[in-house]
């Protein structure tokens, strides 16, 4: 009788272990999968300060790609119809066909080269005009104006650069976003040459400040 119970208990133990082993294996696989999902992958190494360039169809390109490290030279190649990249990272030519072009470019130091994709967005030539060029103000009172533009391709922000900072009245500035701010320190009328660019489509304007 005792021998019979020993065999029965042994059989029950074998069944329990057989049922447990797949569960443990399954749990281990699921745990490993969860850990792999939670472990962040390293982002791809960036070799360029900016890898997206916006240009306009029919307008000569004057952009440049800047490497994140010194001593790197580019392998010259065409990025799109009419646009070429030289060894110094300068883009030249006139884009002929609108569209988005994703092109791998190589940056080399000696015989060692690294590759990164560059996105060239060629926009259609949509005319634009400046929205406001004259700003009145008072001495000691903060200015808060905006040059801005009307027209141009949708979703593209214009950039503004002052050609002659000496013509700005003391205490006043014009930012790269077209904001006219600061606190005028002296009265007078000032005419400041400003260059506005929209995806490489640039024009010079004169901003007038009338301070009383």
């Amino acid at each position: 009788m005792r021998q019979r119970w020993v065999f029965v208990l042994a059989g029950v133990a074998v069944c329990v272990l057989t049922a447990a082993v797949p569960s443990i294996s399954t749990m281990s696989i699921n745990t490993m999968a969860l850990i792999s999902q939670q472990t962040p992958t390293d982002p791809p190494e960036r070799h360029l300060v900016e890898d997206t360039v916006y240009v306009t169809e029919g307008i000569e390109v004057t952009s440049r790609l800047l490497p994140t490290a010194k001593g790197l030279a580019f392998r010259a190649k065409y990025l799109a119809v009419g646009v070429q990249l030289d060894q110094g990272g300068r883009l030249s030519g006139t884009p002929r066909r609108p569209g988005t072009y994703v092109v791998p470019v190589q940056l080399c130091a000696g015989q060692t080269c690294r590759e990164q994709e560059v996105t060239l967005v060629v926009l259609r030539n949509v005319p634009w005009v400046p929205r406001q060029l004259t700003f009145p103000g008072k001495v000691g009172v903060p200015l808060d104006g905006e040059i801005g533009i009307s027209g141009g391709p949708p979703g593209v922000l214009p950039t503004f650069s002052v050609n002659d900072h000496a013509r700005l009245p003391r205490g006043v500035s014009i930012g790269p976003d077209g904001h006219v701010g600061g606190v005028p320190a002296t009265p007078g009328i000032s005419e400041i040459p400003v260059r506005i660019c929209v995806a490489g489509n640039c024009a010079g304007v004169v901003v007038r400040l009338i301070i009383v």
Side-chain angles (χ1 to χ4, degrees):
M1 188 70 176
R2 181 179 301 174
Q3 187 177 7
R4 181 182 177 185
W5 277 107
V6 169
F7 283 118
V8 170
L9 292 175
V12 172
V14 170
C15 293
V16 170
L17 286 174
T18 303
V21 169
S23 301
I24 294 173
S25 301
T26 303
M27 182 174 63
S28 299
I29 294 173
N30 292 337
T31 302
M32 292 175 64
L34 181 60
I35 292 174
S36 65
Q37 290 177 0
Q38 292 177 346
T39 303
T41 58
D42 293 332
E45 186 179 358
R46 291 180 59 88
H47 306 301
L48 297 172
V49 176
E50 293 289 342
D51 57 11
T52 301
V53 180
Y54 294 88
V55 297
T56 299
E57 177 189 14
I59 303 295
E60 186 176 1
V61 180
T62 58
S63 299
R64 182 182 294 274
L65 297 177
L66 298 176
T68 56
K70 295 181 179 180
L72 295 178
F74 292 83
R75 287 276 178 89
K77 68 183 304 180
Y78 278 94
L79 300 183
V81 178
V83 181
Q84 186 177 15
L85 173 69
D86 67 13
Q87 292 183 342
R90 189 173 69 90
L91 277 65
S92 61
T94 303
R96 301 295 183 187
R97 189 179 301 164
T100 300
Y101 304 87
V102 180
V103 185
V105 300
Q106 288 188 332
L107 299 90
C108 302
Q111 300 298 320
T112 304
C113 294
R114 309 166 184 176
E115 188 172 271
Q116 182 171 336
E117 288 186 342
V118 171
T119 301
L120 181 69
V121 182
V122 181
L123 302 167
R124 295 190 180 278
N125 195 337
V126 181
W128 59 267
V129 294
R131 192 164 52 233
Q132 184 177 354
L133 295 176
T134 301
F135 299 90
K138 293 183 179 180
V139 173
V141 178
L143 283 171
D144 186 16
E146 192 82 26
I147 299 175
I149 65 166
S150 296
V156 179
L157 297 176
T159 58
F160 304 80
S161 56
V162 177
N163 294 334
D164 188 355
H165 288 272
R167 296 196 182 186
L168 281 167
R170 187 159 57 92
V172 178
S173 64
I174 297 177
D177 57 353
H179 181 256
V180 181
V183 180
T186 56
I189 298 176
S190 303
E191 294 185 338
I192 304 100
V194 174
R195 183 174 175 83
I196 306 175
C197 291
V198 183
N201 186 3
C202 302
V205 299
V206 175
V207 175
R208 175 173 291 184
L209 299 176
I210 304 174
I211 309 299
V212 297

